[in-house]
Amino acid sequence: IVIVIIAVVLGLTLRQNKSEFESTFLSRCEKFNQYDCKKLWGVFQQAYVDKDPCKVLVEAYNPLIAAAPFKPQCNKTMFWSKTKDVVHGFTDKRKDCFVTLEDTLLGSVLDGLTWCGKEGSKDTFTSGCPGWSECENNPVRSFWICASAAFADVACGDVTAMLNGSINTPFNPTSIFASVEVPRFNASRVKKLNVVMVIQKNNISNCNHSSLKNLTQALDTGITYSCKDVSESRIQECGAKPEIACGACW
Ligand code: AVW
């Protein structure tokens, strides 16, 4: 009996417990059905496990994106920069109108999470990982760049971007939107970019801001540009009232 108990206890300790991170990954993934989430977890881990957490290249996530590709959703793609809460507060309620990266399988699974590996270990760590700009090739940053690029690659028709009118530089060249997404909008797929400038009570910028000139210049020839100043309360109203047609939100 003693031997059996020892064997069971030893067995339980040696069996790698599913980490909280893995459980989060799988439970978020399973909400989407139609994907083999255990397989995706395996492909995801390959990108960063057993690696120096400052040496994970953007390309390391290509197999993951290939395993769960983004589907083109023409006229519904929503980009954003420094407006995360407003955008998701809106798109969470109006999935009929717009889809953000964070509403897709991979984006929603990894949204808000931190992860990294360590050389010589097959584990996933959630603390002690490099910060966003601590080193360029960190696992989290590389994932978001890779996913954002792939998401922008399939954008089509009229695309929308929510920018922040309460900051100095609504179109910031160092943002993912400016540095990764806009350069990949292809005129053969994307017809028009509609910027929604989110205006709060103490706004300091609007559609006339000089940084937007850089945006129009960065756009592929053939893509039309528009910008509209829209109050945050109007965006919230549209989120709260499904009877307002998507095209009439602003
Ligand atoms: P953002 P982006 N430290 O609001 O245009 C930690 O600046 O870049 O908008 N996390 C960071 C940092 C940082 N310094 N900078 C960026 N992030 C992460 C994907 C953080 O998770 C969508 F498709 C923050 O919430 C949008 O169109 C997120 O990046 C576009 O990229 C966005 O930062 C938004 O990227």
Side-chain angles (χ1 to χ4, degrees), residues 79-84 101-102 132-133 148 151 175-177 181:
F79 297 90
W80 54 272
S81 200
K82 297 282 185 284
T83 50
K84 194 176 191 203
L101 173 56
E102 296 73 25
W132 184 266
S133 19
S148 301
F151 188 63
S175 66
I176 289 185
F177 177 63
E181 296 175 327

Side-chain angles (χ1 to χ4, degrees), residues 18-49:
K18 202 181 275 176
S19 69
E20 197 185 322
F21 185 89
E22 181 181 355
S23 302
T24 304
F25 184 104
L26 292 175
S27 66
R28 288 184 180 184
C29 176
E30 275 149 15
K31 297 210 169 68
F32 281 77
N33 306 317
Q34 64 175 290
Y35 287 94
D36 183 344
C37 294
K38 283 209 180 103
K39 191 181 139 198
L40 285 181
W41 167 250
V43 179
F44 168 67
Q45 280 183 298
Q46 293 288 312
Y48 62 89
V49 150

Side-chain angles (χ1 to χ4, degrees), residues 158-202:
D158 284 15
V159 304
T160 307
M162 277 198 190
L163 303 184
N164 191 337
S166 301
I167 56 174
N168 278 314
T169 317
F171 182 70
N172 191 320
T174 65
S175 66
I176 289 185
F177 177 63
S179 65
V180 177
E181 296 175 327
V182 169
R184 298 184 81 107
F185 293 165
N186 182 319
S188 68
R189 300 177 56 87
V190 176
K191 203 173 83 204
K192 189 173 179 203
L193 169 65
N194 292 126
V195 170
V196 172
M197 187 64 74
V198 181
I199 304 295
Q200 294 166 308
K201 37 200 170 300
N202 295 316

Side-chain angles (χ1 to χ4, degrees), residues 131-164:
W132 184 266
S133 19
E134 214 168 302
C135 54
E136 196 182 332
N137 297 317
N138 69 263
V140 176
R141 189 172 195 248
S142 290
F143 167 76
W144 287 109
I145 291 176
C146 192
S148 301
F151 188 63
D153 279 342
V154 301
C156 49
D158 284 15
V159 304
T160 307
M162 277 198 190
L163 303 184
N164 191 337

Side-chain angles (χ1 to χ4, degrees), residues 11 18 98 122 163 171-172 197 214 235-237:
K18 202 181 275 176
F98 295 104
K122 53 181 179 42
L163 303 184
F171 182 70
N172 191 320
M197 187 64 74
N214 303 326
I235 295 166
Q236 284 163 348
E237 184 185 12

